[in-house]
Amino acid sequence: MRLTKLPRVCLGQLPTPLEEARRLSDALGGPRIFFKRDDLTGIGLGGNKVRKLEFIIGKALEEGADTLVVCGGFQSNMARVSAAMANRVGLKVELVLGGLPGEPRPPIGNLLLDHLLGAKVRLVDTVPRWEFGEILHEVAEELRSEGRRPFVLEPGGSSPEGMAGYFSATLEMARQFSEQGIQPSRIFVAVGSGSTFGGLALGAMHVNPSFEVVGISVSRMSDYLSENIPQLTTDANELLGLDKGVRGEDLTTYDQYIGEGYGALTDGACEAIRLVAQSEGVFLDPVYTGKCMAGLMDLVRKGTVGKDETVVFIHTGGSPALFAYEKDELMA
């Protein structure tokens, strides 16, 4: 395995804690729930993007880049963390942030932090929301014409290097499970572009655990994920020097908690955000972790997840996005 030989900038506060959420478990009447606190990765207010970017920026520096070109929604966690980590290693950042035509994009939440970090921000219209077409390559060509050396990130960090971050996280969790004497049956994680989920699924195959990785989609349908994530893991296999790939039929995802679309509030997410805050003092976000927790809660209530199981919830961060929503929306 080549994981330790990959270029990497070690800026995250790792390992992150694995904490038992006893009061949340009590509120649901079981199962036993642990939070993997990847919201506490540190730099730039943390989140799952830190693990990915350690390897992605490592590659960019190895290739001699001086600028990161990063895309995302206008409340993108990847944009925020990319800007923060780039500042630490002396790279410039060009953020290309999309949204639906006519959608308000006030400088609050993550977008405010992007400006405070000094990133150059370009706001563009994208339909659908995550479709950037040729925009990123046009920005890269513009930068090259200025004599700069851009490195274009895949959306959401969905590259082999990004997946290496969560392959590594699986190894980290396996050590924690052993140290704490627990054997989880399932690991729950929000799925956007798919590299966090894919990295965990790939890691699970190679540490030979008893747990299943369960993805709660926040934007894309399960058929799309089953078709596209295996290709991502194939590329990551080659990078990491592994011999087992992930097939579509190996993946467990749920797409019924998306609601009206990416970033759109759902009643389930609002309930989950309130319950976790009021039982554990932990903030979830409306885009990713709120919907993932809503899925976990619903599967518990339906009996799909048994009351006597032990499950792990990956807290991927994103709480700054809370400030882009109105109180009445979240508390409804």
Side-chain angles (χ1 to χ4, degrees):
M1 183 167 56
R2 304 190 190 108
L3 181 67
T4 59
K5 298 178 181 178
L6 298 179
R8 182 178 184 180
V9 291
C10 295
L11 298 177
Q13 299 296 311
L14 304 176
T16 55
L18 183 69
E19 300 177 342
E20 187 166 4
R22 292 183 177 87
R23 295 195 69 244
L24 176 61
S25 296
D26 289 345
L28 296 175
R32 193 179 184 193
I33 300 172
F34 286 79
F35 285 175
K36 177 59 172 168
R37 297 293 305 274
D38 272 15
D39 57 319
L40 301 179
T41 48
I43 186 165
L45 295 183
N48 65 320
K49 308 304 185 186
V50 172
R51 290 188 189 270
K52 300 181 184 185
L53 284 162
E54 286 196 334
F55 290 95
I56 294 170
I57 293 177
K59 180 181 180 182
L61 291 172
E62 184 180 58
E63 293 184 359
D66 62 11
T67 306
L68 302 181
V69 180
V70 184
C71 69
F74 65 92
Q75 284 295 327
S76 167
N77 297 311
M78 173 61 86
R80 162 178 50 87
V81 179
S82 294
M85 292 180 70
N87 285 350
R88 286 284 294 275
V89 298
L91 293 175
K92 296 183 182 300
V93 178
E94 300 270 337
L95 302 181
V96 183
L97 305 182
L100 300 177
E103 185 177 34
R105 302 169 206 180
I108 56 178
N110 279 319
L111 187 53
L112 170 62
L113 299 177
D114 297 337
H115 288 293
L116 289 176
L117 288 163
K120 181 173 180 180
V121 178
R122 306 175 189 228
L123 298 176
V124 300
D125 292 337
T126 50
V127 181
R129 187 183 297 275
W130 53 84
E131 181 56 63
F132 287 84
E134 295 299 313
I135 297 173
L136 300 182
H137 296 292
E138 291 169 3
V139 171
E141 284 304 313
E142 176 188 324
L143 296 174
R144 290 188 188 100
S145 71
E146 298 171 358
R148 291 161 68 179
R149 301 184 301 279
F151 183 93
V152 180
L153 276 67
E154 294 294 329
S158 289
S159 65
E161 291 76 20
M163 296 185 80
Y166 271 86
F167 183 90
S168 176
T170 311
L171 304 181
E172 179 181 301
M173 284 191 289
R175 290 191 294 270
Q176 290 177 316
F177 299 159
S178 177
E179 291 166 359
Q180 297 193 29
I182 63 172
Q183 292 185 317
S185 55
R186 310 180 205 229
I187 292 180
F188 281 80
V189 66
V191 185
S193 59
S195 57
T196 298
F197 173 64
L200 290 167
L202 188 62
M205 292 187 68
H206 287 82
V207 300
N208 194 29
S210 59
F211 60 77
E212 173 186 37
V213 180
V214 178
I216 304 295
S217 180
V218 303
S219 58
R220 295 177 170 92
M221 303 307 289
S222 290
D223 287 348
Y224 174 93
L225 297 172
S226 295
E227 181 179 344
N228 285 271
I229 290 177
Q231 182 57 51
L232 290 175
T233 63
T234 297
D235 296 339
N237 266 359
E238 183 176 348
L239 178 73
L240 293 166
L242 303 174
D243 58 3
K244 289 190 290 187
V246 173
R247 302 170 301 171
E249 54 266 35
D250 296 326
L251 303 176
T252 301
T253 60
Y254 293 87
D255 56 25
Q256 59 264 52
Y257 305 104
I258 295 171
E260 294 182 3
Y262 177 84
L265 277 175
T266 65
D267 290 343
C270 290
E271 181 197 5
I273 290 168
R274 293 193 300 269
L275 178 58
V276 172
Q278 293 168 19
S279 62
E280 298 295 338
V282 172
F283 294 112
L284 305 181
D285 77 292
V287 182
Y288 293 96
T289 53
K291 289 184 177 180
C292 185
M293 180 56 72
L296 170 56
M297 289 164 51
D298 185 55
L299 293 171
V300 170
R301 289 165 176 166
K302 289 178 175 176
T304 304
V305 175
K307 304 288 188 178
D308 58 348
E309 291 189 43
T310 296
V311 301
V312 174
F313 174 83
I314 309 288
H315 191 328
T316 52
S319 57
L322 282 167
F323 301 104
Y325 291 78
E326 297 292 335
K327 170 181 175 289
D328 290 344
E329 294 178 300
L330 291 168
M331 299 303 294

